[in-house]
Amino acid sequence: MSRSNDGESQGSKGPTATGGSDFLQLDLGQAPAGGRTQWLAGRLRAAIADGTLPVGTRLPASRVLAAELRVSRGLVTEAYQRLAESGQVAGRGRGGTVVVA
């Protein structure tokens, strides 16, 4: 039996990266023990810079990404916050976190 929306949110605009960690092949084993937040923010920042995550892409929900990476939701939220502070992503409420630059 197949899903009707194939993992994409109905009514969303732009591409989505809602598949969790698979969208960048993130491997937490590569992260230094004391710098996981910085590592995750850096990987996302690099993906934005090289076009892997183009403007308009919605990042995975923090709960989804945290569960897949087996880290706390706070770690993912902090990484997203660092990207927001540098102007690379913006929170869109129910629309998720979206790449803006």
Side-chain angles (χ1 to χ4, degrees), residues 5-46:
N5 67 4
D6 293 324
E8 291 184 26
S9 175
Q10 293 177 340
S12 66
K13 294 182 181 178
T16 60
T18 58
S21 61
D22 290 346
F23 77 108
L24 289 176
Q25 278 83 49
L26 296 174
D27 178 8
L28 193 62
Q30 298 174 350
R36 290 178 172 175
T37 301
Q38 183 174 344
W39 173 84
L40 179 57
R43 290 294 307 266
L44 293 169
R45 201 173 271 120

Side-chain angles (χ1 to χ4, degrees), residues 37-60:
T37 301
Q38 183 174 344
W39 173 84
L40 179 57
R43 290 294 307 266
L44 293 169
R45 201 173 271 120
I48 292 168
D50 72 13
T52 302
L53 294 174
V55 172
T57 300
R58 189 178 65 201
L59 299 179

